[in-house]
Each structure stands twice: as C-alpha cells, then as structure tokens.
Amino acid sequence: MADNRNKVTKYRRPLNLNIGMLIFAAILIYVLIGVFMYFKTEHIVGYSVKEGSLTSNSIYTGIALRTEEIVTGSDAGYINYFAREGTRVAVGNLVYTIDETGKLSDYINTSESGENSLSDTDLFELKTEITSFISRFDRTNFSDVYNFKYSVEGTVLKLSNYNILANADALNGTSGNSLINYRYAGKSGIISYSVDGYENLKLEDMTAELFEQKDYEKKHLVNNELIAGGDPVYKLSTNEDWSIVIQVEEELAEELLEKEYVEVKFLKNQYTSWGKVDSYTNESGDTFVSLTFTNSMITFCTDRFIDIELLLEDEKGLKIPNSAIVEKEFYIVPKEYVTKGGNSGKDGVLLERYDENGNATTEFVETTIYDATDTEYYLDDTVLRANNYIVKPESTQKYAISKTGSLIGVYNINKGYADFKQVSILYQNDEYAIVKSNTVYGLNVYDYIVLDASTVNDNEFIYE
C-alpha cells in the first residue's frame, strides 16, 4: 500500500472580490469606452459669426499694348546708343551712331579714350534698376535674370557713351573722313531698345497662347553690336495712351464692363491708376479685358508683361467659413396654404388625414419657414411628405405637396440643436464667404453655427 504521508497539495486561496474592486473595474471600463468613443466620434465644433469683409481684388499678369514703331537702320556698322532707354526723344535728338569701320570701338577700348566715370545721378539710376529687379524677382521665371542683365549692360554702356561722344568727334577730325555717322530721331516718342513681335498687337488679336511667357522671346538691341542695313535699331512709343490686356472669366468681364472704369494697382511700383474697360471674346471662347490708361506709359515702356491688381469694391457682411455651408432640400408651397395655429400660434399647415372610417379630417401641423418668395414658402420636410395634401384655411381647396427646392445655408446651434438657417452669399473665396446680415430667415451677428456642416445632422442636439 502506497504511503501518501509525504505528498503535499498546494492550497488555493479563494478569490476575494470586494465592492471597492468592482467599482474600480467598472470605472476603468467606463473610462476606456469613453476614450475610445471620443476618438471614434466626429466632434461638433462651433463658430461665432462676426461681421467682416473679403476683398475681391484679383491679381493678373497682363500684356501691355502701345502705339509702337520699330525704326530700322539705313547702313551697316557698329552701333552705339546715346539716347537713354525709357526717356522721351524729340525730333532731331541724337539717338545713335554708326561706326562703319569699327575704329571707334577700337579707339574706345584703348587708353586714349580716357577714364569714364558715372555721376551720382547715373549711379542712382543703376541702383534703382537693381532694387526694382530684386523686389519683383520670381525664381520660377529665371529668364528675367537675362533680361535684367541686358538691361543693366545697356544702361551702363549708354551712360558711358555720353563721355565717349567727344572721342567720336576727335576720331572723325583726325581721319579727314566721316567714319562715324550720326543718326537722329525722325519722330518724338519714348525710346526703347528691344523688339518682341508684339508691337502691332490689338485687343482683337488676343489668344491664350500669347500669355505663355515660356514661349516669349525678347530681342535686345545691344550697344556696340555689328548691324546690317534694314536691321531694327530702336523702337519708339509715340502715344501716351496705352492698354493692359488680361484674360478673365466671362462673368468678371461683364462685371467690369458695367463699371466702365476700374482702379488698378501696378505691382512693380505699387502705383494706382484708373483704366477704361473694354472686352473681347475670340473664336475659341477666351475672354479678354482691356484696361486703357492715359498716363504712366513711360514707366512701363520696356515691359511687355505687367503684374496688376484689380482694386474692386470690398464685400461686407457676415463672414463664415465655407466648411459651415450646406445645401438642403425643402418643400415649396403657396403662401395662402400656410397659417398660424396650435397653442403656440406658430406657422404651420392644415394637413389632410383620414380616420378609421375613411373620413377626411384636417390636423394643424407646425412647420418652420426657411425662406420665402413673393408667392411661396420653403417648408421643412421633416413632418411633410410628398403627395400629402394640405388644405387652404377657410376653404376646401387642397394642394398636393410635390414641388421641392434647395437652399444654401448653415446650421445654427443657438438653441442647443442644429437648426438650418438660409444664407445669401455676397462673395466667396477658397476659405470664407460673406453673407447678408439681418435677413428674415438668415443669420445675425454673434450667432453660433456649426463649423463643419458634415459633422451634424438636421435638428441634431448638440452636447457641450
């Protein structure tokens, strides 16, 4: 017989659950569930409606159209300019010289020409040109660097050529022959030293392709270059009246035409001016607006593409985020079918119903009015259904509910639940909208609305 005296059995202590442990476990489970539901639930965030404005200003890059005339040379040789670009020349003013043999160029490059120094005025002009370029430079348009390079080189050479002019006279005098030909302006105008093929453009010639700056080519007429007879030597802008053409949507073009004149800010120097509006739509359906000015042409005479800002009127009203705006369907009924009734005397309709015996009766049903026209009301669709009949007060006439319409609005939560309020949008951009204030069925300043309309349902209670 086996001896069991040395066998040890482990004693299991009974699990003692007291009321404190049960309460702690229940609280822990409740907290965990609460945290899980918090992160799983879309939270309703409120927004306080305030007065504000959205500027409807728009920035465009336009094409400058001027009365431009390209002047060509009559003889070949090395050209040297003496009229400063961007200044007005009169008839008979010296514009450039033609060095037929190139001896002037060699003479200039020797020590015989002496040292050329720039005056304080000349240095100021160069500093202004450099500062202006830095302020408007855009890295995405690196080709502007080359335009700036040519512009500065031309400016420096033209400034220094004034000091060289005496050397040209000396060279002619020592040679005994007229090696240097002087060329004078045949017309008065603003002079520039570049051509781009846009000189004869009119509003009716505009296409969307012309605004593609990556395909734009501007030929600079460089100082001390060898030219042939018939080559372009300079360009004159002979009329102070000029235009900037921009491409816009048809709706904006119609709005601008109604204004006739629009205030424009030039981003290059922040100056403003009023432009007369004209428009044109080409065969491709592209719409262009021309803004014509009677001043400032000389400031932009070397620019073909000009950045401008249209200074249109600010729209003022209640400022709300676009995320709060929602579109909702409503039933539309004639005004004469809406009456006041019930204990509260609120608006409603007489809804036709039938008892157990099939007899027709009417029941007053309270319904909210969300908008109105001269003859109709927009009613809530939560208590009414399509093909319900409503009865005209003090009459036997009936109307079958079928007509629907949508309204743009937001959810007002002043009363603790999501109450749709119709809004009339005055102006809207990518983030905000300006709506009319103090409308009969709309919003008022300091109303509290749902920031994101997609997070709430109609008439949903809002828990703080």
Side-chain angles (χ1 to χ4, degrees):
M1 187 173 183
D3 188 1
N4 296 323
R5 287 178 298 176
N6 295 326
K7 186 176 181 180
V8 178
T9 302
K10 185 177 180 180
Y11 175 73
R12 294 184 178 180
R13 299 176 63 183
L15 180 64
N16 293 323
L17 295 176
N18 56 48
I19 189 66
M21 293 179 63
L22 292 175
I23 292 175
F24 176 78
I27 293 175
L28 179 62
I29 294 172
Y30 177 80
V31 171
L32 292 175
I33 293 174
V35 171
F36 176 78
M37 293 299 294
Y38 177 84
F39 288 104
K40 290 288 290 183
T41 304
E42 288 188 293
H43 302 288
I44 299 173
V45 179
Y47 177 85
S48 179
V49 177
K50 297 180 180 178
E51 291 182 330
S53 65
L54 290 179
T55 177
S56 55
N57 298 349
S58 301
I59 294 176
Y60 294 90
T61 298
I63 294 178
L65 302 183
R66 296 173 282 262
T67 305
E68 297 172 315
E69 179 180 333
I70 297 175
V71 179
T72 58
S74 59
D75 40 20
Y78 291 90
I79 190 168
N80 288 279
Y81 294 107
F82 293 90
R84 297 188 185 184
E85 187 173 42
T87 60
R88 180 179 296 278
V89 295
V91 176
N93 285 164
L94 176 64
V95 177
Y96 66 96
T97 63
I98 291 292
D99 176 13
E100 296 181 0
T101 64
K103 290 185 177 181
L104 177 61
S105 178
D106 295 337
Y107 185 81
I108 292 172
N109 292 326
T110 65
S111 59
E112 298 178 43
S113 62
E115 181 181 354
N116 295 317
S117 60
L118 300 179
S119 66
D120 291 340
T121 302
D122 296 338
L123 288 173
F124 178 76
E125 180 180 345
L126 282 174
K127 290 179 181 178
T128 301
E129 188 170 356
I130 294 171
T131 303
S132 177
F133 169 77
I134 293 174
S135 65
R136 68 175 189 272
F137 175 64
D138 184 355
R139 294 178 182 271
T140 60
N141 295 323
F142 192 77
S143 60
D144 290 346
V145 174
Y146 296 98
N147 294 333
F148 172 67
K149 171 177 174 282
Y150 291 127
S151 178
V152 171
E153 286 179 349
T155 301
V156 172
L157 288 171
K158 285 188 286 291
L159 292 174
S160 63
N161 277 354
Y162 283 100
N163 298 323
I164 297 168
L165 190 57
N167 294 330
D169 294 332
L171 187 61
N172 269 340
T174 58
S175 66
N177 296 315
S178 180
L179 303 177
I180 311 301
N181 298 318
Y182 296 86
R183 296 293 177 253
Y184 303 92
K187 291 184 178 180
S188 63
I190 309 301
I191 196 166
S192 58
Y193 298 110
S194 63
V195 293
D196 57 8
Y198 283 44
E199 284 80 10
N200 296 317
L201 283 179
K202 297 180 177 58
L203 176 61
E204 294 75 16
D205 302 323
M206 286 294 124
T207 63
E209 290 74 19
L210 292 172
F211 288 81
E212 297 293 334
Q213 296 189 49
K214 66 179 184 297
D215 299 324
Y216 173 74
E217 293 184 3
K218 183 177 183 179
K219 180 182 178 182
H220 294 271
L221 306 177
V222 182
N223 201 65
N224 206 25
E225 285 286 311
L226 179 63
I227 66 166
D231 285 351
V233 290
Y234 64 92
K235 183 168 61 181
L236 277 181
S237 299
T238 59
N239 195 325
E240 187 65 22
D241 294 347
W242 65 297
S243 302
I244 295 178
V245 178
I246 58 176
Q247 185 175 359
V248 300
E249 298 295 330
E250 185 177 356
E251 294 78 7
L252 178 58
E254 294 175 356
E255 178 185 340
L256 297 178
L257 282 172
E258 290 180 1
K259 295 177 178 293
E260 295 187 13
Y261 287 87
V262 174
E263 189 175 12
V264 175
K265 177 189 288 186
F266 300 99
L267 300 188
K268 179 178 179 179
N269 55 13
Q270 300 299 305
Y271 290 168
T272 62
S273 184
W274 288 86
K276 188 178 186 303
V277 180
D278 195 6
S279 74
Y280 170 74
T281 302
N282 63 17
E283 295 179 353
S284 300
D286 299 321
T287 301
F288 304 92
V289 165
S290 169
L291 303 166
T292 302
F293 307 93
T294 59
N295 54 36
S296 305
M297 189 273 290
I298 190 171
T299 305
F300 306 97
C301 65
T302 60
D303 300 318
R304 183 63 68 187
F305 293 93
I306 301 175
D307 294 326
I308 62 171
E309 184 177 6
L310 303 183
L311 301 180
L312 306 178
E313 294 181 358
D314 293 349
E315 297 287 358
K316 296 181 179 179
L318 302 180
K319 185 176 181 179
I320 61 174
N322 289 336
S323 60
I325 299 174
V326 66
E327 185 174 4
K328 189 174 182 295
E329 290 285 331
F330 295 90
Y331 288 118
I332 302 175
V333 302
K335 280 187 172 182
E336 58 265 26
Y337 284 84
V338 178
T339 185
K340 293 184 181 296
N343 296 329
S344 61
K346 293 185 176 180
D347 294 315
V349 295
L350 298 176
L351 184 63
E352 184 179 70
R353 296 191 184 279
Y354 291 88
D355 59 19
E356 296 178 355
N357 299 322
N359 298 320
T361 61
T362 59
E363 177 186 356
F364 177 80
V365 176
E366 184 180 317
T367 182
T368 304
I369 298 174
Y370 288 91
D371 196 19
T373 65
D374 292 337
T375 59
E376 296 175 318
Y377 283 127
Y378 285 74
L379 301 183
D380 191 3
D381 61 354
T382 56
V383 295
L384 301 178
R385 296 291 181 268
N387 298 320
N388 282 167
Y389 281 93
I390 55 177
V391 180
K392 184 177 180 179
E394 301 179 0
S395 171
T396 59
Q397 295 182 30
K398 296 189 295 184
Y399 176 82
I401 296 176
S402 60
K403 185 178 180 181
T404 61
S406 62
L407 294 175
I408 301 295
V410 297
Y411 286 115
N412 186 312
I413 54 176
N414 288 349
K415 299 177 181 178
Y417 63 92
D419 183 19
F420 182 90
K421 292 293 184 181
Q422 183 261 353
V423 297
S424 178
I425 298 176
L426 299 173
Y427 179 74
Q428 191 172 23
N429 62 18
D430 293 337
E431 297 181 359
Y432 290 93
I434 297 297
V435 303
K436 287 184 179 179
S437 61
N438 300 320
T439 56
V440 177
Y441 305 103
L443 292 175
N444 296 308
V445 64
Y446 303 124
D447 277 349
Y448 216 52
I449 64 174
V450 176
L451 178 62
D452 186 355
S454 64
T455 62
V456 69
N457 297 316
D458 196 42
N459 292 321
E460 179 180 344
F461 283 97
I462 309 300
Y463 300 96
E464 297 293 341

